[in-house]
Amino acid sequence: MTPVDSPSPRSEGVTSPEVTMNSAGLREITEPHYVLATGCNLTTAQKAEVDALVKKVRPVIPFYITAMNKTSMSGSLVICKDYAAKYLPHEEQFITLCHPHKSNIWVDNLKVITDGSCMLSVGWSCFVLHNELRESDICLFEVSKNDGEVTMVVHSLEGGHHLQGKEPESQNKCSYPVKVEVTEEEESDKEHAESSYYYSRYAYDLTGEEQEEIFRSALIQQGNPVYVAVLQENHVSSRNNLLTFPREFAAKHLAERSHDILLLRPNRREKWCVRYYYHSMMRIQGFSYRSWTKFVSDNGLQEGHVCVFELMKGVCEATMMV
């Protein structure tokens, strides 16, 4: 173990192998219990907390320990290549983030960088906000694998600055730009330039308080395009259903062809592959038929429900968090 008072000169994470005595009285080195990210130095008290957690959890895969900084607070967290190469998938995939004391789950996209390291990106900022993480907090990632699915339970060491029960500042602000561009029966000519938020006509009628409540629970990642729709009967019917997207939203953010879009739900492990239909001559673009009907049925969607479709940026295939 590198002494905590002396930063490690290594460029990658610092491991903590154990030297033990086997039954024959010979020394042997066992798998480390945790790996420290570069520049993450634990105090004596923090190390005691980590050791206690290791003893309690007895992780099969070593913990990955890092300190929150401005980069990881802003929406991306890099996991060093030595740890990623040994314990994480070698290709991009969706993983599940959990909190040890909460039932919620967060779906994130684990990206593999060219140098071999991995990065949490899409859902990480939502996890940070929901769990009130702060700069300099120490996070321990408990990694587990099951049939190719990766789950990370994120433990955080308590700090005096970490105020329990206080709502994150970013959630208290009501600043939701509106851009209305809707199709056919929901046509409107009201526009607000420089916005990535698009509303159906019925969603445009939502009050400021209703919008604030919706977006506080949705926690949209900054920069992701968003379409807000109040579901109507033709959106959720079992036959001849059609949920259209605004023409400008589709032109700016979606491919001009019919293709599949992966739909995810917060706190759900399931994924839905829904067909997105594009017809330039009829000026129709949206979800329809069996795959959309299944999503509606599986999630109990009804007329009058408000759906927020968040198009995820930085992923290989078209993906929306609903």
Side-chain angles (χ1 to χ4, degrees), residues 170-185:
S170 60
Q171 295 185 32
N172 291 330
K173 297 179 180 179
C174 181
S175 179
Y176 312 121
V178 176
K179 185 162 191 172
V180 180
E181 177 71 27
V182 290
T183 57
E184 303 301 332
E185 75 276 4

Side-chain angles (χ1 to χ4, degrees), residues 109-289:
N109 184 51
L110 184 70
K111 301 179 69 174
V112 179
I113 308 175
T114 52
D115 67 355
S117 57
C118 286
M119 182 172 69
L120 297 174
S121 55
V122 175
W124 175 246
S125 60
C126 290
F127 183 90
V128 170
L129 285 172
H130 272 130
N131 294 286
E132 303 184 47
L133 297 182
R134 297 290 183 266
E135 192 172 344
S136 78
D137 279 354
I138 302 296
C139 289
L140 297 83
F141 291 82
E142 177 190 346
V143 179
S144 61
K145 299 178 182 178
N146 184 21
D147 294 331
E149 298 288 332
V150 176
T151 299
M152 291 184 177
V153 179
V154 185
H155 306 262
S156 60
L157 302 188
E158 294 183 359
H161 62 281
H162 201 150
L163 303 180
Q164 298 296 329
K166 183 178 179 180
E167 193 172 59
E169 181 181 351
S170 60
Q171 295 185 32
N172 291 330
K173 297 179 180 179
C174 181
S175 179
Y176 312 121
V178 176
K179 185 162 191 172
V180 180
E181 177 71 27
V182 290
T183 57
E184 303 301 332
E185 75 276 4
E186 297 181 333
E187 192 68 48
S188 171
D189 59 357
K190 297 180 180 179
E191 295 185 0
H192 298 266
E194 301 301 325
S195 169
S196 59
Y197 283 63
Y198 303 75
Y199 284 47
S200 70
R201 185 184 66 183
Y202 296 101
Y204 183 71
D205 291 335
L206 294 169
T207 66
E209 291 182 356
E210 288 171 330
Q211 290 186 41
E212 184 176 1
E213 180 181 355
I214 291 167
F215 285 100
R216 183 184 293 117
S217 61
L219 281 178
I220 304 301
Q221 183 173 343
Q222 186 175 3
N224 284 344
V226 172
Y227 175 52
V228 182
V230 178
L231 298 182
Q232 304 301 305
E233 183 179 0
N234 63 308
H235 299 155
V236 298
S237 61
S238 57
R239 299 180 61 184
N240 300 324
N241 55 32
L242 174 64
L243 175 72
T244 57
F245 282 85
R247 287 193 299 273
E248 188 170 339
F249 177 92
K252 190 173 182 179
H253 304 293
L254 296 174
E256 294 184 342
R257 56 179 174 79
S258 296
H259 62 281
D260 292 334
I261 295 181
L262 190 65
L263 299 186
L264 308 175
R265 291 295 316 282
N267 305 325
R268 295 279 296 273
R269 295 180 183 272
E270 296 91 337
K271 304 168 187 174
W272 293 264
C273 188
V274 176
R275 190 67 175 172
Y276 168 78
Y277 292 91
Y278 175 82
H279 198 299
S280 58
M281 297 297 293
M282 296 179 64
R283 301 176 70 186
I284 292 178
Q285 54 282 318
F287 296 141
S288 186
Y289 302 120

Side-chain angles (χ1 to χ4, degrees), residues 279-318:
H279 198 299
S280 58
M281 297 297 293
M282 296 179 64
R283 301 176 70 186
I284 292 178
Q285 54 282 318
F287 296 141
S288 186
Y289 302 120
R290 287 182 297 180
S291 58
W292 170 246
T293 301
K294 178 171 173 54
F295 181 82
V296 169
S297 175
D298 288 351
N299 292 278
L301 299 184
Q302 300 176 15
E303 182 180 357
H305 284 179
V306 179
C307 277
V308 180
F309 296 88
E310 178 187 5
L311 182 63
M312 300 301 195
K313 291 294 189 179
V315 296
C316 291
E317 56 182 322

